[in-house]
Amino acid sequence: MKSNTLSIISLLLFFINLVFGDWQYRSRPDLAPPRLNITIFPDDDISPGCLFLAPFSGYADIDTFHGPRQAAPYIFTSEGELVWSGFSYFSIWATNFQAGKLNGDDILFSFEGSHNPRYGHGHGHITFLNQNYETIKELRAGNHKIIDKHEFHIINETTGLVQIYQPVPKDLTPYGASAQQQWVVDAIFQELDIDTGEVIFEWSSLEHVSPDESVLPVNQGQAGSGYNSSDAWDYFHINSVDKDQNGDYLISARDAASLYKIDGNTGEVLWKLGGLPGITSSDFESDKNLTFSFQHHARYLSTSDDGTKQLISFYDNSAHGSENKNGGVVKYNEHSSGKIIEVDTKNWYAKLIFNGVSPDNLLSKSQGSTQVLSNGNVLVNWGSEGAITEFKDERPVFNAFVDSGELGLHAENYRAFKSNWTGKPNEKIAVLGEYTSDGSTNIYVSWNGDTETKKWKFYSIEHNGSRRFIGESPRKGFESLKTFYSKYARVLVEAYDSEEVLLSTSDPVDTEAQILAVESSREHPEYVRGEYQTYFSSIIARLTSIAI
C-alpha cells in the first residue's frame, strides 16, 4: 500500500510541475526566464547598460506556487530583452548577482548556497564567472566561518567584503530574555584577499556593539527568539559593508536601524547614524525629513577633501519582515525609498540629498538596493516587492516588475544592478529549423549571453554536404526568426559582429515539422492556478500521512 501511495504522490507532483510549459524561445526550449513587466518604458534620460537581476519566489520553499519558473541570475536590457540566462550556472540558490572587475578583468559574481526565507539568511560561497561564462573561482570565508548571502563587495579589484551570520550562546537575560533564551547572532564581516582567501580584517558586532541597541527585542520574536542556534536572536543583522579611501568601513545594521562607521585598524565604532529619533541613539542631528529603518545596501559615494563630509546611498525599507510571503511585518512608514544622504562630522549633522519613492508606493519588508549610476541616475530595487525603478533626479524614467502575470505574484529580488557588459560565450549557437505546411522554413537562432552579434547569416546544407548561402538578417533580441519561402532539410547559422567579423558557426541541424502552440484553457491550463494547487496540496498531504 505504501509503495502505491508514494507512486500516486509522485504522479501528482509530476503533473503539477509538467504544466509549467514555456514557449518563449524555440531555439532554447529549456529556458523559461522571467518576463519583465515594464510599467514605465525607458526614455532618453535612462542610463546605458544592462540590468543584473536574480529573481526568486517569495512563497515558502515547501509547496511553492510560484514566482519565477526558473529562479536564477539574469541579464536583461532596459527594454526587457533577455541577454543571458544563468539558470543552471549556479547551484541551489543564487543572489547578489552583478558584474565587476577583478585584477583588471571583467567578471560576473554571485552568492550561491542555502536560503532560509523565514530568518532572511543563507550559507554558501561566492562564485566568479569570466566573460565566457566559465567558472573561474570560488571564494569562502576564513577562520572557520561560512559566508552569508547578504554581502560580497569588491574593493580595488583585489579584495572582497563578506558578511557572516554566526550564532553563539550568550547570557541574554540582561536584555529581557529568559534563562532558556541563550542564542544570539554575532554579526561578523571579513575583508578577504580574493586571490589567496587570506583574512585581512575581521570585525564582530558582539565585541563592539551591545545587543541593547537592537530595535527588535528578543521577546518580540521578529528577529529570532534565541531558544536554539537556528532561532538565534539576530539583534544587529549586518546586510552590507563598504570601505572608503581612508580604509574605514561602513556597515548597515538592519535590526539596529542604524549605519555605523568602523575604524579600519582598531574596529572601534567611529560614529553611529540612527534612523529612528527617539528610538535609536545617534551621533548626529538630522533633517526632520531624514528617518529610516531596517535599511539595506549602504555605500560610500564620495568624501570631501578634508574628510569631514561623506555622501552615502542606501535603501530605506522602513519595514521589517521575513522573505516568506506569510511572514509578519513591523513598519515605521507607509512606503520604502532609495536614499542619498550627507553626513558631516565637523558639525555632526546628517541631511537628506535624494529620496526616490516607488511610483507604486511600494513598502518592502525585506531586501532592497540603491545604486548610483554612471550618468547620475539612481537605480532602486524594491526587494520583497519584486520591482525596480530608475530615477533621474527623483523622477522615475523606468519601472518594471521582475516577472509578469501570476508568475509575478510574490516574485522577489534581493539586489539589482545596472552596468555595461560584454559577453563572449563559449557555448554553441542554438538553432531550431522547422518546415511549415505551406512549404516555408522558419529558422530560430539564439546565443545565450552573447552581446556582440549584430547579424546572422543562414545556410542550407546540400545533399553533397556543401553549404549554400540563403540569406541574412539583423539580430533582434535574444532570439531571431528568419522565414524562407522554400523548404530546407538541413541548415546552419553564422554570427557576425558590427565589423563583419565571424564570431561563431552553429552546428548543422535538421529541420522538423512545425509544432504550433495550443491556446491554454481551463481543460488544458498553461499552469496550475492557486485553487488547483490548494486542491493537489491537500491530496498530497493526506496521501503522505497514509504512506508514513
Side-chain angles (χ1 to χ4, degrees):
M1 174 64 183
K2 182 176 181 178
S3 61
N4 290 337
T5 304
L6 291 174
S7 297
I8 295 171
I9 294 172
S10 299
L11 182 61
L12 284 169
L13 289 172
F14 173 76
F15 173 75
I16 290 173
N17 290 320
L18 179 67
V19 294
F20 286 90
D22 199 311
W23 287 79
Q24 286 194 68
Y25 305 118
R26 298 302 308 281
S27 61
R28 290 298 304 267
D30 56 318
L31 299 183
R35 292 177 169 93
L36 296 190
N37 178 13
I38 300 176
T39 59
I40 299 177
F41 284 87
D43 61 20
D44 292 340
D45 289 326
I46 201 162
S47 66
C50 295
L51 294 167
F52 294 76
L53 311 172
F56 65 97
S57 172
Y59 287 83
D61 287 347
I62 299 174
D63 197 28
T64 295
F65 188 81
H66 188 271
R69 285 189 177 104
Q70 294 180 347
Y74 291 95
I75 304 175
F76 289 96
T77 69
S78 294
E79 290 73 32
E81 281 286 350
L82 179 67
V83 174
W84 179 71
S85 167
F87 188 65
S88 82
Y89 280 76
F90 302 93
S91 62
I92 312 177
W93 189 77
T95 197
N96 194 32
F97 170 63
Q98 56 191 286
K101 279 189 175 292
L102 190 57
N103 298 318
D105 295 327
D106 291 325
I107 52 104
L108 300 173
F109 64 84
S110 180
F111 168 89
E112 62 173 324
S114 69
H115 176 220
N116 185 329
R118 178 176 179 183
Y119 290 97
H121 61 83
H123 297 98
H125 59 269
I126 308 302
T127 298
F128 300 82
L129 307 183
N130 61 18
Q131 287 181 281
N132 308 123
Y133 304 99
E134 300 167 327
T135 299
I136 57 172
K137 190 174 187 61
E138 293 180 349
L139 183 68
R140 290 168 171 80
N143 298 339
H144 311 292
K145 296 178 176 67
I146 302 173
I147 290 175
D148 181 74
K149 70 178 186 180
H150 282 92
E151 183 66 284
F152 180 71
H153 184 41
I154 296 176
I155 303 297
N156 297 327
E157 301 186 14
T158 57
T159 67
L161 298 170
V162 300
Q163 179 264 339
I164 294 160
Y165 180 99
Q166 188 84 349
V168 295
K170 183 180 176 65
D171 179 9
L172 300 178
T173 55
Y175 313 107
S178 68
Q180 290 75 33
Q181 293 170 284
Q182 295 180 294
W183 287 90
V184 65
V185 175
D186 190 5
I188 295 170
F189 75 82
Q190 293 180 347
E191 183 172 6
L192 304 172
D193 183 297
I194 296 174
D195 285 339
T196 66
E198 175 189 359
V199 178
I200 296 171
F201 186 85
E202 180 173 300
W203 187 87
S204 155
S205 65
L206 285 176
E207 291 179 5
H208 297 280
V209 181
S210 170
D212 61 15
E213 293 196 21
S214 179
V215 299
L216 297 175
V218 61
N219 285 327
Q220 187 182 61
Q222 183 73 15
S225 299
Y227 286 104
N228 54 62
S229 61
S230 298
D231 187 42
W233 179 32
D234 193 5
Y235 84 97
F236 201 63
H237 192 100
I238 295 174
N239 55 33
S240 71
V241 191
D242 197 6
K243 188 178 184 180
D244 68 12
Q245 60 195 30
N246 296 320
D248 296 325
Y249 299 96
L250 174 70
I251 59 176
S252 165
R254 179 191 186 194
D255 292 353
S258 300
L259 304 178
Y260 294 79
K261 186 173 183 177
I262 307 300
D263 188 291
N265 294 311
T266 67
E268 174 190 1
V269 174
L270 296 176
W271 54 250
K272 173 187 177 182
L273 174 62
L276 295 171
I279 299 176
T280 58
S281 61
S282 182
D283 294 316
F284 296 86
E285 291 185 17
S286 300
D287 286 346
K288 289 183 179 180
N289 61 346
L290 175 54
T291 62
F292 61 90
S293 56
F294 309 121
Q295 72 290 332
H296 284 76
H297 197 221
R299 290 287 186 259
Y300 289 120
L301 299 179
S302 64
T303 303
S304 62
D305 291 340
D306 64 2
T308 62
K309 294 181 179 179
Q310 290 186 298
L311 290 181
I312 295 170
S313 64
F314 62 92
Y315 180 74
D316 173 18
N317 292 76
S318 287
H320 184 286
S322 68
E323 293 160 24
N324 180 344
K325 72 179 181 71
N326 295 319
V329 179
V330 173
K331 65 179 182 178
Y332 286 97
N333 204 335
E334 295 304 315
H335 57 74
S336 302
S337 59
K339 282 182 165 60
I340 298 174
I341 62 171
E342 180 189 79
V343 293
D344 179 350
T345 54
K346 182 179 181 180
N347 299 299
W348 294 101
Y349 194 81
K351 65 179 180 180
L352 184 64
I353 305 296
F354 169 88
N355 191 59
V357 177
S358 162
D360 301 293
N361 287 313
L362 299 177
L363 179 70
S364 58
K365 63 179 181 174
S366 68
Q367 311 161 78
S369 60
T370 297
Q371 179 193 16
V372 178
L373 303 172
S374 58
N375 69 346
N377 286 4
V378 179
L379 181 70
V380 178
N381 167 62
W382 307 100
S384 60
E385 302 312 294
I388 50 176
T389 306
E390 183 174 331
F391 294 89
K392 181 177 177 59
D393 300 322
E394 294 183 358
R395 176 177 65 87
V397 294
F398 172 80
N399 191 75
F401 291 84
V402 297
D403 209 339
S404 300
E406 293 190 38
L407 295 179
L409 296 177
H410 300 296
E412 303 186 1
N413 187 69
Y414 174 53
R415 287 177 176 174
F417 297 93
K418 193 174 190 182
S419 63
N420 293 321
W421 173 250
T422 300
K424 303 175 181 180
N426 281 338
E427 69 175 52
K428 291 281 190 177
I429 297 170
V431 177
L432 173 73
E434 62 178 16
Y435 52 86
T436 66
S437 58
D438 65 1
S440 299
T441 301
N442 295 325
I443 303 177
Y444 298 85
V445 55
S446 64
W447 196 8
N448 188 30
D450 168 62
T451 61
E452 300 305 286
T453 297
K454 303 302 180 186
K455 179 190 293 184
W456 304 110
K457 291 187 177 182
F458 301 87
Y459 298 83
S460 69
I461 307 299
E462 305 298 289
H463 293 296
N464 62 5
S466 64
R467 301 192 316 177
R468 181 166 66 90
F469 176 73
I470 57 175
E472 63 183 44
S473 70
R475 181 180 191 168
K476 296 179 180 178
F478 182 81
E479 181 178 71
S480 299
L481 166 63
K482 179 70 172 177
T483 298
F484 297 92
Y485 297 103
S486 298
K487 184 176 179 180
Y488 299 107
R490 192 167 170 81
V491 298
L492 67 75
V493 182
E494 292 178 338
Y496 288 82
D497 67 11
S498 59
E499 303 297 323
E500 293 285 339
V501 174
L502 175 63
L503 300 176
S504 186
T505 303
S506 75
D507 290 334
V509 299
D510 295 327
T511 60
E512 55 195 52
Q514 183 182 46
I515 302 295
L516 298 175
V518 177
E519 188 172 347
S520 300
S521 67
R522 292 296 287 184
E523 288 74 28
H524 302 283
E526 180 187 359
Y527 47 82
V528 179
R529 297 178 184 273
E531 62 266 25
Y532 288 107
Q533 176 72 0
T534 304
Y535 173 73
F536 285 126
S537 300
S538 62
I539 293 176
I540 292 169
R542 290 197 295 271
L543 290 174
T544 302
S545 64
I546 294 172
I548 295 172

